[in-house]
Amino acid sequence: MFDLLTTSPTCQTLTLSSYLAGFAGDAVRTALESSGYFPDRYISALEDASFYCNLRNYILYDSILDKWMMFVVNNLARVIMAMSTAFVTLWVLMAGFKMMSGTQREPVIELMFRGAKIIFVLALVSGMMGNTDTIVHTVLGLQSSVATIVTGSSESLDSLIDMNIGITQVINMVTEDVTNATAQQENKTGGLSIFAGLLGQSGPAILTSVLVLLAQIAIVFALMLAPLFIFFLLFKETSSLFWSWAKFLLASFLSLSFLAIISTIAMSATLSYGLTVMVSFVLNAVADSGDAAGAIAEGIIMLINGSQRVDMSGAAMRMAMMGGLFATLIVAVPPMIMQMFNASIGYASNLMGSMGIIRPMGGESWCCGGRAGRRSKHWQLFG
């Protein structure tokens, strides 16, 4: 189901149940939610995981879209309307003068068809300027919906990023509590491994947030300037600017969509493993108490991890390895998609050029070994 946005998305309120959804079995989830093993400050840290979502909304929606977009669009509208009025008026006067003086060599039907294309382009420019806000929100919502449908994840990418950062914070809190509560020096070693694990847990989320936000801002800026580049279609000499803009917009959208897909997969995997490690750390501390609650915690550990407890240093290094792997994939996907898209466009252009469908602008036309003529160098509307 496509969720086409017309307003800025709201940040979801997370609970412990949000994290445990789909974790282990129903009996384990129920026992964890009702056991009281998680201190209030752990739960508060998990529920407060909406920093990236709020920051994204502030940068993209509250600042760029709500404040600067209409300022840019309104000023751009004045410039385009002045340019279109001047150029179209000049074109009408020149066409009328040629018809009255008898120097018009172009058929009237073709002239009328060219005028209809001018009207269509100007109407499209006017429609873009009047509905830029709706178009931007719809494109962003379409990209998010495509990623959700392909990955099948019930959580949005923004929510997954925040949940990974929240789990990193809680793992750090649990690690500090465990190491500070024990007097055994051997349990206080491995600080570098723990740091690497925390970086592996949060690194892909931080990297994803930067790349996704950067791609979204690029798409928003491109759509804000859409009326200007559509106006360039009026002239032969500037039509290439429109196609470059369209190529950039489409490539950015595809790159962002595939980035969202691979990032959703990465965030889901790191979230699942990080949640397992976090719960195991908490249960390990409870099981060490040796009372009735410790026995129950030991039983839950067996249900989650088998008969073996999770080793803190080993889990941290596995999180570091997983984070490094997914970070590499997240960085590599956008350039790969852009390169594939550019190669496809280049192949299609060369193929159409070899078939005679596309000819170089402003060049010479050759036929049967002789020169048929040269394109005029003055600016023409649609020529």
Side-chain angles (χ1 to χ4, degrees):
M1 187 71 181
F2 287 99
D3 181 19
L4 302 183
L5 300 175
T6 55
T7 58
S8 60
T10 57
C11 299
Q12 301 177 2
T13 302
L14 299 174
T15 62
L16 182 60
S17 300
S18 303
Y19 290 86
L20 296 178
F23 176 76
D26 294 336
V28 175
R29 290 200 306 271
T30 303
L32 291 174
E33 292 175 7
S34 60
S35 61
Y37 292 152
F38 291 91
D40 292 339
R41 65 193 193 96
Y42 292 179
I43 298 178
S44 297
L46 294 175
E47 293 177 348
D48 193 38
S50 59
F51 178 77
Y52 169 71
C53 181
N54 290 320
L55 183 62
R56 187 276 317 272
N57 284 353
Y58 169 74
I59 296 175
L60 188 61
Y61 292 94
D62 297 341
S63 297
I64 296 179
L65 293 182
D66 292 347
K67 294 181 180 179
W68 288 102
M69 185 181 68
M70 296 313 300
F71 174 78
V72 173
V73 171
N74 289 336
N75 286 277
L76 191 62
R78 297 189 184 98
V79 175
I80 292 177
M81 293 307 296
M83 293 171 56
S84 61
T85 301
F87 284 113
V88 174
T89 301
L90 181 61
W91 178 78
V92 171
L93 291 176
M94 292 179 61
F97 176 77
K98 289 181 178 180
M99 293 182 65
M100 289 186 295
S101 62
T103 59
Q104 175 67 29
R105 297 294 183 265
E106 187 178 16
V108 177
I109 298 298
E110 185 174 345
L111 185 65
M112 294 177 61
F113 180 68
R114 185 181 300 179
K117 289 194 289 186
I118 294 174
I119 295 175
F120 172 75
V121 170
L122 294 180
L124 188 60
V125 169
S126 178
M128 287 291 296
M129 289 188 297
N131 300 279
T132 302
D133 185 68
T134 302
I135 293 172
V136 169
H137 286 82
T138 300
V139 170
L140 294 178
L142 179 63
Q143 171 269 321
S144 178
S145 297
V146 168
T148 300
I149 291 175
V150 172
T151 58
S153 175
S154 59
E155 296 288 346
S156 65
L157 181 59
D158 301 329
S159 179
L160 290 173
I161 292 174
D162 277 326
M163 292 171 75
N164 274 277
I165 296 176
I167 286 179
T168 304
Q169 181 180 354
V170 174
I171 290 178
N172 183 58
M173 295 167 63
V174 176
T175 303
E176 290 180 348
D177 291 344
V178 171
T179 55
N180 291 334
T182 180
Q184 298 178 5
Q185 185 64 33
E186 61 271 16
N187 290 330
K188 295 185 177 183
T189 59
L192 184 60
S193 299
I194 299 300
F195 174 77
L198 295 177
L199 186 61
Q201 177 69 34
S202 61
I206 296 174
L207 184 60
T208 298
S209 64
V210 173
L211 295 179
V212 169
L213 186 58
L214 183 62
Q216 289 176 338
I217 291 176
I219 290 176
V220 168
F221 284 165
L223 291 175
M224 287 168 59
L225 297 176
L228 178 62
F229 286 97
I230 294 176
F231 176 78
F232 287 154
L233 272 176
L234 288 175
F235 309 99
K236 281 184 178 182
E237 286 75 4
T238 58
S239 61
S240 60
L241 296 176
F242 167 80
W243 294 113
S244 297
W245 167 83
K247 178 182 176 181
F248 169 79
L249 182 61
L250 182 57
S252 298
F253 181 84
L254 291 177
S255 178
L256 177 58
S257 298
F258 281 95
L259 174 62
I261 291 172
I262 193 66
S263 298
T264 300
I265 297 173
M267 294 299 98
S268 299
T270 54
L271 174 64
S272 177
Y273 187 73
L275 181 62
T276 302
V277 173
M278 182 197 73
V279 171
S280 299
F281 282 4
V282 174
L283 293 178
N284 285 350
V286 175
D288 289 337
S289 63
D291 54 11
I296 297 175
E298 195 74 46
I300 298 177
I301 292 175
M302 295 181 63
L303 291 176
I304 298 175
N305 303 315
S307 59
Q308 183 180 4
R309 288 193 181 188
V310 173
D311 175 65
M312 187 177 296
S313 297
M317 294 309 298
R318 284 189 288 271
M319 284 193 296
M321 186 276 294
M322 181 181 293
L325 172 63
F326 283 125
T328 303
L329 292 177
I330 291 169
V331 171
V333 164
M336 180 183 66
I337 298 300
M338 294 285 284
Q339 184 177 5
M340 180 181 67
F341 179 79
N342 291 335
S344 300
I345 293 297
Y347 175 78
S349 299
N350 293 334
L351 181 62
M352 296 177 70
S354 65
M355 297 171 61
I357 299 177
I358 297 179
R359 290 181 298 177
M361 302 297 294
E364 296 180 356
S365 176
W366 297 81
C367 177
C368 306
R371 194 168 80 179
R374 181 184 296 272
R375 289 182 179 268
S376 60
K377 294 299 182 182
H378 60 81
W379 283 38
Q380 295 180 347
L381 289 169
F382 286 104

